[in-house]
Each structure stands twice: as C-alpha cells, then as structure tokens.
Amino acid sequence: MAPPRLPLNALRAFEATARLGSMSAAAGELGVTHGAVSRHVRELEAQFGLSLLRRQPKSVVPTPGGAQLASCLGEAFDLMRLGVSRLAPSPLTLSCSATIAMNWLIPRLGGFKRDNPDVEVRLNINYGEVDFVRDEISVAIRSSMFRAPQDVVIRPLLREDIGPVCHPDYAARLGLSVPEDLARARILGTATRPAAWREWLEVIGHPDLLLDAQETYDHFYLLIQAAASGLGMAMAPRIVAIDAIARGHLVAPFGFTPGPHELSLWIAPHLRARSDVKRLVAWIQADMIASS
Amino acid sequence: MAPPRLPLNALRAFEATARLGSMSAAAGELGVTHGAVSRHVRELEAQFGLSLLRRQPKSVVPTPGGAQLASCLGEAFDLMRLGVSRLAPSPLTLSCSATIAMNWLIPRLGGFKRDNPDVEVRLNINYGEVDFVRDEISVAIRSSMFRAPQDVVIRPLLREDIGPVCHPDYAARLGLSVPEDLARARILGTATRPAAWREWLEVIGHPDLLLDAQETYDHFYLLIQAAASGLGMAMAPRIVAIDAIARGHLVAPFGFTPGPHELSLWIAPHLRARSDVKRLVAWIQADMIASS
DNA sequence: GCCGCCTGTGAGTTTTCCTGACAGGTCCAT
DNA sequence: ATGGACCTGTCAGGAAAACTCACAGGCGGC
C-alpha cells in the first residue's frame, strides 16, 4: 500500500488556524466558512491520531506538536509562494487609447494598485489593432469600431454614450437649449473620429442638422482639453468626460445619448486564466460600470 | 480582491511530473490517471500564463521556469512531509495472543515491513480484555470469547475453524479415520481453553463422545509444539496450525470444522483514521483471508 | 440575565477531482 | 511499410471532496 498522500488543503487550513490562533480568522483568510476549517482540522487530528489544537473559549492554541507542524507548514507554503512568484511572469500590460488612459484609467489606477499592491501594471498607449504576442499585451480596452483578432476573449464593457461637451462658462454664454443652438458654437473635431458629430446627430434624431468641425485636432485628448479650455464644443463619450464634468471643467448641455459604438475588453487568450489578468479585468469591469 | 489561493493539488501533480519527467509516472506515484495529471499541469500553465513543460514524444522536460518552480515545490513538499513525520505519533502497537503471534503473525510480519518500511510495529502479547489508552494499544486481534470495550471499532476477521492436529507420523501410527479412533490417542489440552475438545465434538455432531485431556499445558503455544513433537493430539484453530501443516510438522486428520468462536480486529477508536493503523488493519485482513 | 464571539456538527449542495475511453503522435521492431 | 508499445491531450460523465447554511452549545463581558 502506498504512503498516503498529504491532505494538502487540510494542512493549509490548519496552518492558517495555528498562525492566526482562530478558526474563524483562518476561514476569513482562506475565503471559506469556519465550518470548513473546523472539519479540516478534525480530519488532520483523526489522521494523525493526536490533537493539534487546544480548544479554548475564545480561541484555539496549538499543542506543542501542532505548533511544530504549523511552523514547518508555514515555511513550506512560503516556499511555494516564493517559487510561484519567481515564475518570471510576462509583465501585465494594459493597452488603451491615450484618451481613455488620461481621462479615465490613470486617475483610477491608484485604486487598483492599492487593492493589489503586488500587481504591476504596464500601460501600452494605443488603439485599433492589437498584436497580443508581439507587443506583449495582456488586456486591451478597445472600441467596437475595430475588429478583434482571432481567438481573443472579448468582454463587453459598456455602450458608449456620446454628447457635446464644453466649458461651463462657454455653455452659459451661448445659452444652449436645443441642438439647433449649436450653430452658434465653435465645433471642434478630431482626425481619429471624423464622423463623431454626424453619428450624434443621427442618434438624437436630427440627421438634417449640419455641424461641421471648424477646427480639427490630431488627438482626442487634445480635443477634450481644448473644450475644457473653453475653445468650443467637443463630441465626447461620457466615459472620457465624466471626470472633467465632476470637477466642473466640462458640462454636457444636451446630456449623453447611446452612440453607435461600444467599449470592450480584449483579453489575450493565453493569459486569460492568469490571476493578475483576472484581477485587472474584474477591476476594469467593476469601475467602468461604476463610472457610467 | 484577495490573492488567489495556491492550487495545491495541481502544484503537487506538476512537481511529481517535473521530478519524474513523465506525466504517466507522476500519475502512478500519485495514484491517479495520467489524464488527471495532464489537466492539473494545464491548469497551472493557464493560471501562470506560461508553459512549464516542453512536450516531447516520449517524455516531458521542464522549461527553465518550470524547473525552478519544481525545485521550490519539491523542497516545500519535503518540508511538509518532514513536519508531519515529526508529529511524534504514538507507536503503532498490535496486541494479540502469544499463540497467534508465534504461529501466524510473526512469520508474516516480514511481508508487512517490506511493503511498509516506514511503519514500525510494536507487539503486545496478550489476550482477553484490552485497555487501548492505558496500554497504548492501536489494534488488537481477539477472539469473540471476549467482550470488546465500549466504542471500539470491530472488524470481523474469520470464523475459527477448529480440528485435532498431531504430528504426521503420530497420525499414521494410530490410523485415525473416524473420531472414535481418537480414544486411542493421547489427548492434549490447555488451561486457557478447557472446553476446546467438547466444543469440537459438538460441532462435528458427536456430543456423546468423551475425550478428556490427559495432559494440560499452561499455554496454547506449548500445546501446539507438544503436538508437533508427536506427544499427542491437540485441538487447534486452523489459523494457528496452518504453517506447521504446510511445513509437514502437523496434520489435521479430520480436517477443520467451523467452531463456536471467531476472530476479530479491535481498533482503538481515536486512532482508526491514522494511516499506519489503516494500513496494518488492511494488511491483517488481507493476509488472514489469504491464509484461511 | 442577555448578547457577542467562538467552535462543533448535520444535511444538502456545489465544486473539484478523477475515471474511462478514445485520439493523435513518435519510436521501435518486425 | 505496418503493427505495437508508450507517450500525452481531451471529453463526458460520475465519484468524492469541499463547502455552505443553519443550528447548537460554551464561555466571558456588559
């Protein structure tokens, strides 16, 4: 008969219990209920034929043997974690447009780093096509304007709500109340989304209105900054304007309307099960929803 | 979001695979199928987002990262095993009668030690009542003549087949063919089982025959040896005579008949889940059945 | 006394793990 | 070539482990 396999999960539960001096605390650390921990410890005691913990009213104390075992186990688990962490993982790289990066991601990234101090996020500022392997991209935030590569895991984030934005004083000065009033405004555009104003006019039901960009910026984020500086009206997705609106740098006199595009997460298929990838994805999804 | 729990079972499967250079070998060591190991390894690779093994036609070779991880894991598991083995277990103690010990157990004990080199078995030569705690007994072989203590785990072994035995030459000289012929034999008895002959006569359907012990030994094993020396007929359970019969030291001219008692294993309840206890119990059960 | 905090335990359920069977691949011997 | 031995990969289905939920009981503090 072969030597019995070590009951690894039970050993982990016991180690945490001995270290924390409490089954409930160990259960919290392991993300299970106290009952599960209690069972694991009893299973070990039965298997070894001796008691590992002295039960006390408000806590548990390892017996001498239990303490020695716990210390061995602690070292062993540390060693495992060390080995796993040494696995030279390719860095976690998030690709998104400069606009999203500046107006949504970077201001919120501190929160992710606070919750996940051990995860390092590299940014890749880009939009459009992605080569996950060549550029070592783990996750990309992309608009549905672009086609995802084959095999990529896609998680829809949100439909882009779009609307005109400008500086609050600018809006007040022009007295905007209906879309037609925009004829009085200076219309700002961007080279990367030449159809932006046309798309908006269509979704709000004024396809007849003609608003042509009187000034065109090379980059979307320059456009946003121009609008925030009071230089005119920009057509912007809510997600990139929301912070500026909250700070009072921008207003959206006509609100936002669901636009023709949506934002998605593209996840490198070979990395989709990696824990840091999963954590980043979960965080982006949650924070995107929270800020929409 | 909490840091992910280490997938311990998968890590163990990978460690064995890397050490043995083969999933099938690892599966053998762990007592599972190769499919299970394959899944575990793939799960790890997915979770870490990198490949741990280079697949080759007839084997697998750890990648550099995989080799480093495997070495860490190997140390960690060794440490765990060490910690567990240090748990000062009470010694494994088997209690049985001197007769069983001499005529059945000890000749077979080598086989158990060969299959379980890491298990040390202490013997407690005794019969009748057992105090598992005071005498630190783990397992006892006992006859149903005795009452087991409360709470003991009982595993029936076999019904005692009993019959008269003597030296082959002695049987030939007397020309025994029917029980009545035993009147010509010298009847040997033992103080510990004074009713042995009577019980046999009853189970073979000759309650009328009267065979009284003409010589009585203090111990059963002395009785067996006396019979094997040609001093007369002894009433013996098959299980204690079987080896002497096989070696030609004894014969059972009337065979063996199911007797009124049976042999059982009594297992100390607080030790019943201990792996060495379970292995000893399994071995005794298997070998008892094999030799009956 | 009552309440809060701990652990123990049972039934029932979810999740994990494993099996068993098959497929594809390489190497070796025939 | 061709068949056999021996790997690994994969899938559906089933056994076993793990977990949850709910309740019970003990102890200490307010």
Side-chain angles (χ1 to χ4, degrees):
Chain A
M1 185 186 268
R5 277 188 284 171
L6 291 173
L8 296 178
N9 292 322
L11 289 172
R12 169 165 53 191
F14 168 69
E15 190 275 334
T17 303
R19 173 161 41 79
L20 301 172
S22 149
M23 293 198 188
S24 301
E29 174 174 303
L30 297 173
V32 298
T33 57
H34 77 268
V37 174
S38 172
R39 290 170 173 282
H40 275 312
V41 173
R42 313 199 99 250
E43 177 197 336
L44 280 190
E45 293 185 319
Q47 186 156 341
F48 298 148
L50 50 83
S51 128
L52 296 170
L53 295 175
R54 232 183 35 243
R55 271 72 168 176
Q56 292 186 327
K58 310 278 290 183
S59 66
V60 294
V61 179
T63 61
Q68 192 183 356
L69 175 63
S71 121
C72 270
L73 294 177
E75 279 185 53
F77 285 123
D78 284 346
L79 204 53
M80 286 192 185
R81 271 186 287 272
L82 180 69
V84 168
S85 69
R86 275 217 205 110
L87 263 186
S90 58
L92 179 64
T93 303
L94 172 61
S95 174
C96 66
S97 66
T99 310
I100 293 279
M102 289 176 54
N103 295 290
W104 185 85
L105 179 66
I106 293 177
R108 289 167 175 73
L109 205 50
F112 179 74
K113 290 209 176 247
R114 181 169 18 80
D115 296 344
N116 302 273
D118 53 320
V119 176
E120 188 150 345
V121 181
R122 234 173 41 176
L123 286 189
N124 171 288
I125 303 302
N126 230 318
Y127 63 95
E129 311 292 324
V130 180
D131 187 325
F132 285 98
V133 175
R134 177 173 55 80
D135 297 338
E136 290 193 333
I137 307 288
S138 317
V139 179
I141 302 177
R142 284 295 184 273
S143 159
S144 59
M145 294 167 57
F146 302 98
R147 279 266 308 283
Q150 199 74 13
D151 292 333
V152 156
V153 180
I154 300 181
R155 300 270 185 84
L157 284 176
L158 42 80
R159 173 156 293 277
E160 267 189 359
D161 294 342
I162 54 178
V165 294
C166 62
H167 192 275
D169 298 345
Y170 188 84
R173 201 165 67 238
L174 263 65
L176 302 167
S177 60
V178 293
E180 284 79 0
D181 298 338
L182 285 169
R184 300 199 297 273
R186 182 170 179 81
I187 301 301
L188 310 179
T190 174
T192 55
R193 284 204 182 187
W197 281 97
R198 173 119 315 277
E199 286 167 0
W200 179 69
L201 289 170
E202 276 171 19
V203 295
I204 66 164
H206 288 71
D208 49 314
L209 271 182
L210 206 62
L211 292 174
D212 274 332
Q214 297 158 265
E215 191 163 355
T216 296
Y217 293 87
D218 285 346
H219 296 290
F220 204 97
Y221 62 89
L222 293 176
L223 173 68
I224 301 290
Q225 296 198 333
S229 308
L231 299 182
M233 303 293 304
M235 179 56 51
R238 183 215 301 270
I239 197 72
V240 302
I242 195 164
D243 283 7
I245 292 174
R247 284 196 304 270
H249 298 169
L250 283 180
V251 287
F254 304 100
F256 294 95
T257 315
H261 305 300
E262 48 186 47
L263 277 189
S264 300
L265 274 185
W266 296 356
I267 306 170
H270 64 291
L271 301 179
R272 69 174 180 280
R274 230 173 72 173
S275 77
D276 51 358
V277 171
K278 292 201 288 191
R279 283 194 264 173
L280 179 63
V281 166
W283 174 78
I284 292 176
Q285 288 183 307
D287 266 34
M288 271 273 174
I289 290 168
S291 53
S292 69
Chain B
M1 188 186 270
R5 278 187 284 173
L6 292 173
L8 296 177
N9 291 323
L11 288 172
R12 169 164 55 190
F14 168 70
E15 190 275 335
T17 303
R19 173 162 41 80
L20 301 171
S22 150
M23 293 197 187
S24 300
E29 175 175 301
L30 296 173
V32 299
T33 56
H34 77 269
V37 175
S38 173
R39 295 176 81 84
H40 276 311
V41 173
R42 310 195 98 252
E43 178 197 335
L44 280 189
E45 293 185 320
Q47 186 156 344
F48 298 148
L50 49 84
S51 130
L52 297 169
L53 296 175
R54 231 182 36 243
R55 271 72 169 178
Q56 292 186 325
K58 309 279 288 185
S59 66
V60 293
V61 180
T63 62
Q68 192 185 353
L69 175 63
S71 121
C72 269
L73 295 177
E75 280 185 54
F77 285 122
D78 283 346
L79 204 53
M80 286 191 185
R81 271 185 287 272
L82 179 68
V84 169
S85 69
R86 276 218 203 110
L87 265 185
S90 57
L92 179 65
T93 304
L94 172 61
S95 173
C96 68
S97 68
T99 311
I100 292 279
M102 289 176 55
N103 295 290
W104 186 86
L105 179 66
I106 292 176
R108 286 165 176 74
L109 206 50
F112 180 75
K113 290 208 176 248
R114 180 170 20 80
D115 296 344
N116 302 274
D118 53 320
V119 176
E120 188 150 345
V121 181
R122 234 174 39 176
L123 286 189
N124 171 287
I125 304 302
N126 231 318
Y127 62 94
E129 311 292 327
V130 179
D131 186 326
F132 285 98
V133 175
R134 178 173 53 81
D135 299 338
E136 289 194 334
I137 308 289
S138 316
V139 180
I141 302 176
R142 285 294 184 273
S143 160
S144 59
M145 293 166 57
F146 302 99
R147 279 265 308 282
Q150 200 72 15
D151 292 333
V152 157
V153 180
I154 300 181
R155 300 274 185 84
L157 284 176
L158 42 78
R159 173 153 293 278
E160 266 188 358
D161 293 341
I162 53 178
V165 295
C166 62
H167 192 274
D169 297 345
Y170 189 83
R173 200 164 70 240
L174 263 65
L176 302 168
S177 61
V178 292
E180 284 79 359
D181 297 339
L182 285 169
R184 298 200 298 274
R186 180 169 180 82
I187 301 301
L188 310 179
T190 174
T192 56
R193 285 206 183 183
W197 281 97
R198 172 119 316 278
E199 286 167 359
W200 179 69
L201 289 169
E202 277 171 16
V203 294
I204 65 163
H206 288 70
D208 49 314
L209 271 183
L210 207 61
L211 292 174
D212 275 333
Q214 298 158 267
E215 193 161 353
T216 297
Y217 293 87
D218 285 346
H219 295 292
F220 203 97
Y221 61 90
L222 293 176
L223 171 69
I224 300 290
Q225 295 200 332
S229 307
L231 299 182
M233 302 293 302
M235 179 55 52
R238 184 217 299 269
I239 198 70
V240 303
I242 196 164
D243 283 8
I245 291 174
R247 283 195 304 270
H249 297 170
L250 283 180
V251 288
F254 304 101
F256 293 96
T257 314
H261 304 300
E262 50 185 48
L263 277 187
S264 299
L265 274 185
W266 295 354
I267 307 171
H270 64 289
L271 301 178
R272 70 174 179 280
R274 231 172 71 172
S275 77
D276 52 358
V277 170
K278 292 201 287 193
R279 284 194 264 173
L280 180 63
V281 165
W283 174 79
I284 293 176
Q285 289 184 305
D287 266 35
M288 271 275 174
I289 291 169
S291 53
S292 67

